[in-house]
Amino acid sequence: MKTDEGFLSDAEIEKDHEWCLLCGSRNPRSLKLNFKNWEGGVKTGFTPGPDLQGYSGILHGGIVSALLDSAMTHCLFNRGIKALTGDLHVRFLHSVPCKQPLEIRASIVSSRPPLYRLKSELLQGEKILARAEAKFMRQEIQS
């Protein structure tokens, strides 16, 4: 059910996203990420296991990209917006270690519906290990 502004409810987003590999509540392989409000955006903590590594002890770059993309997606979900990634640029600044606590956060850079620009960062402590910028296109749901 859409809100008066045309945005999606939390329940509708969850139902459509419950099998997500990164945050899905019904997917047994999901990383079960749980994003919370943070300074106008969202953030979550995550400690990757060795099953997600590429090179020994280093988180696979595809997983890094997926984590950054997921944070931006949830930033939009937080505003009741379901959108698809149209353009994703990831900058790997340092290798990302496995078995170490990480923080992933995202915020909206600009909003001109149906187009949204976002940014995200993956950090270990205060050190930014990777960052991304992306453009998302709002997706309409067929009832």
Side-chain angles (χ1 to χ4, degrees):
M1 178 168 73
K2 293 183 182 177
T3 63
D4 292 339
E5 297 82 27
F7 297 111
L8 303 172
S9 68
D10 290 342
E12 190 169 22
I13 289 170
E14 169 60 25
K15 181 180 180 291
D16 194 48
H17 211 69
E18 63 192 358
W19 285 95
C20 175
L21 180 61
L22 296 173
C23 65
S25 60
R26 297 192 60 200
N27 186 338
R29 293 183 178 168
S30 173
L31 300 180
K32 306 282 193 247
L33 298 179
N34 185 16
F35 290 90
K36 304 289 184 193
N37 289 333
W38 165 80
E39 296 181 13
V42 296
K43 72 175 183 175
T44 193
F46 175 65
T47 303
D51 57 325
L52 298 176
Q53 67 188 353
Y55 288 104
S56 182
I58 298 174
L59 188 61
H60 190 283
I63 300 297
V64 170
S65 299
L67 290 167
L68 293 166
D69 182 59
S70 182
M72 291 184 280
T73 299
H74 277 270
C75 191
L76 291 170
F77 284 172
N78 193 43
R79 293 182 179 215
I81 300 164
K82 181 179 175 190
L84 299 174
T85 310
D87 187 33
L88 174 66
H89 295 270
V90 178
R91 177 80 170 119
F92 301 92
L93 304 171
H94 303 280
S95 59
V96 179
C98 292
K99 301 182 185 177
Q100 299 292 319
L102 304 170
E103 181 176 83
I104 307 113
R105 55 191 185 197
S107 59
I108 295 176
V109 173
S110 68
S111 174
R112 294 192 177 142
L115 184 65
Y116 301 89
R117 288 185 48 234
L118 289 93
K119 65 179 181 177
S120 58
E121 299 172 325
L122 189 147
L123 302 96
Q124 182 181 30
E126 295 299 314
K127 184 177 184 179
I128 299 172
L129 304 179
R131 65 177 180 242
E133 293 182 1
K135 293 177 186 173
F136 287 77
M137 181 66 74
R138 187 164 155 189
Q139 181 183 16
E140 295 297 326
I141 301 242
Q142 303 296 324
S143 299

